[in-house]
């Protein structure tokens, strides 16, 4: 849940671009986006989208510190639907603020999808939704990427994490003390390999899934990686996995493991079941220190994400 001091802003679709069969890039602008903080780096900054309700209207949410409670209290048919996405880009140029989101157009074999993917598939110039993203003057929150003083960073994710990985890699390009980066991104098809403006010390490997099981190529990539670069160094809940050096969704106290880092920092995001498998391998089998890893379930097979 994200609590902005003053709530969502109205995003108006300025452009829609199909990058591949899987990814649709949508850029939002509109006067209300001026309130957003456009100074990066954004890394994996999460944002919330509030989609129109069944009548096609956006909910009316007052500008107030408790906007989230007020939004929750709206009748079901007015409230609309909230989902979490990443900032692919956020710029201000010639007094116009633009926020770009890369949507995965996920459709199951029976044609079913979710409200956010359906909205993106039908979006056109002028379509509107509400965006909850950091505003000017607000304390920073919603970035999990935290490599500390790591010498090397390993990013692993599926297509839902591709926008966040791309942003992290591009933001590191601008950083003076950038660590060495290896990114592995599993995508449905060969043609889903997107352009990332990576720095010279970053290696981005796209892993088309094809007919393989989801996560199989990520597990292989992690295995090779760990094998080539050995590290020094309770059973899974049903909830979405979210475990970073400073926060555990299972309520575990991780204060003790949030130590300053060196060595390799792992950032892993995607389908929750796949991520659990990768975490098991890395933490239990390889014995990588928990302070060196962030595991995040970005979606869960067969489950609609609320907020
Ligand atoms: C921090 C964070 C950042 C994220 N950034 C992005 C981003 O930039 N771009 C992006 O596309 N997604 C991103 N996601 C994932 C996105 O929030 C989920 O995919 C979400 O479920 C999509 O909502 P929906 O309404 O389309 O589907 P839902 O209503 O949530 O789910 C409906 C059905 O679709 C399935 N489903 C959901 N997502 C996928 C998927 N990716 N592939 C296959 N099946 C799926 C579910 O299992 C369920 O059966 C992010 C998630 C988090 C937590």
């Amino acid at each position: 849940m994200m609590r902005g001091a003053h709530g969502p802003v109205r995003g108006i679709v300025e452009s829609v671009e199909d990058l591949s069969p899987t990814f649709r890039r949508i850029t939002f602008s509109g006067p209300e986006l001026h309130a957003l903080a456009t100074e990066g780096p954004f890394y994996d900054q999460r944002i919330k989208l509030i989609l129109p309700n069944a009548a096609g209207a956006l909910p009316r949410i007052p500008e107030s510190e408790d906007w989230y409670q007020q939004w929750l209290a709206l009748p079901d048919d007015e409230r609309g639907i909230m989902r979490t996405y990443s900032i692919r880009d956020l710029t201000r140029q010639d007094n116009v603020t633009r926020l770009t989101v890369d949507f995965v157009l996920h459709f199951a074999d029976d044609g079913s999808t979710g409200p956010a993917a359906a909205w993106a598939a039908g979006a056109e110039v002028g379509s509107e939704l509400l965006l909850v993203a950091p505003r000017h003057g607000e304390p920073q929150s919603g970035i999990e990427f935290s490599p500390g003083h790591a010498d090397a960073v390993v990013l692993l994710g599926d297509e839902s994490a591709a926008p966040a990985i791309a942003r992290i890699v591009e933001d590191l390009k601008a950083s003076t003390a950038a660590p060495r980066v290896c990114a592995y991104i599993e995508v449905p098809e060969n043609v889903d390999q997107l352009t990332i403006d990576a720095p010279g010390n970053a290696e981005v490997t796209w892993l088309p899934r094809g007919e393989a099981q989801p996560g199989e190529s990520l597990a292989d990539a992690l295995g090779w990686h760990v094998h080539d670069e050995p590290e020094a160094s309770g059973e899974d809940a049903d909830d979405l996995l979210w475990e970073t050096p400073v926060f555990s969704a299972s309520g575990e106290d991780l204060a003790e493991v949030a130590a300053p880092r060196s060595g390799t920092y792992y950032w892993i995001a995607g389908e929750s079941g796949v991520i659990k498998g990768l975490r098991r391998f890395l933490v239990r089998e390889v014995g990588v220190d928990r302070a060196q890893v962030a595991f995040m379930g970005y979606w869960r097979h067969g489950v609609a994400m609320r907020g």
Side-chain angles (χ1 to χ4, degrees):
M1 184 182 68
M2 180 184 278
R3 290 169 210 268
H6 299 102
V9 296
R10 183 176 293 255
I12 304 169
V13 174
E14 186 182 88
S15 64
V16 177
E17 184 186 358
D18 283 319
L19 303 174
S20 77
T22 298
F23 293 104
R24 173 167 269 208
R25 174 163 293 171
I26 298 186
T27 297
F28 300 90
S29 60
E32 293 188 16
L33 267 64
H34 284 316
L36 303 184
T38 49
E39 302 79 33
F42 305 109
Y43 298 130
D44 58 345
Q45 174 74 61
R46 60 179 172 271
I47 58 172
K48 301 286 178 180
L49 312 183
I50 300 176
L51 308 163
N53 57 34
L58 289 170
R60 294 162 68 91
I61 307 175
E63 282 240 341
S64 93
E65 276 197 31
D66 69 345
W67 69 268
Y68 182 73
Q69 283 68 26
Q70 297 210 37
W71 174 72
L72 278 183
L74 289 173
D76 287 353
D77 59 345
E78 285 179 31
R79 194 180 312 119
I81 288 169
M82 185 183 274
R83 292 288 185 266
T84 309
Y85 280 78
S86 309
I87 290 178
R88 181 61 185 87
D89 214 352
L90 176 55
T91 60
R92 176 180 297 224
Q93 208 179 7
D94 299 332
N95 219 22
V96 179
T97 303
R98 294 185 173 86
L99 191 154
T100 300
V101 177
D102 285 354
F103 289 83
V104 173
L105 301 179
H106 60 87
F107 287 87
D109 291 343
D110 64 1
S112 64
T113 183
W119 183 89
E124 46 193 37
V125 172
S127 299
E128 295 185 358
L129 47 60
L130 299 179
L131 297 159
V132 186
R135 290 175 171 238
H136 292 296
E138 272 185 357
Q140 192 277 317
S141 78
I143 293 179
E144 302 296 346
F145 179 73
S146 176
H149 300 293
D151 318 302
V153 167
V154 178
L155 308 165
L156 280 106
D158 66 11
E159 58 269 36
S160 71
I165 292 177
R167 185 72 263 145
I168 290 171
V169 169
E170 291 184 2
D171 281 341
L172 286 174
K173 188 171 185 174
S175 136
T176 46
R180 205 154 36 85
V181 181
C182 284
Y184 301 96
I185 310 173
E186 184 179 297
V187 287
E189 299 177 47
N190 229 341
V191 289
D192 293 321
Q193 305 185 36
L194 306 181
T195 304
I196 299 181
D197 185 14
N201 63 349
E203 199 180 305
V204 178
T205 306
W206 294 88
L207 304 164
R209 186 178 302 126
E211 297 304 311
Q213 286 297 311
E216 212 175 292
S217 64
L218 287 176
D220 286 348
L222 188 58
W224 304 324
H225 192 94
V226 169
H227 192 251
D228 287 349
E229 287 186 43
E231 277 292 314
S233 83
E235 215 22 70
D236 305 324
D238 283 340
D239 292 333
L240 200 64
L241 179 68
W242 198 275
E243 195 176 286
T244 66
V246 291
F247 179 80
S248 165
S250 60
E252 195 182 346
D253 182 5
L254 298 181
E256 284 182 17
V257 298
R261 293 169 282 268
S262 61
T264 302
Y265 169 77
Y266 295 85
W267 181 103
I268 303 180
E271 197 283 321
S272 195
V274 166
I275 302 307
K276 278 178 189 164
L278 299 177
R279 163 188 177 252
R280 210 174 288 134
F281 169 72
L282 209 53
V283 173
R284 294 200 197 156
E285 289 184 36
V286 182
V288 170
D289 193 299
R290 290 274 289 282
Q292 310 285 136
V293 290
F295 298 104
M296 290 148 295
Y298 268 22
W299 61 283
R300 188 147 174 245
H301 187 69
V303 178
M305 290 293 116
R306 281 165 297 143

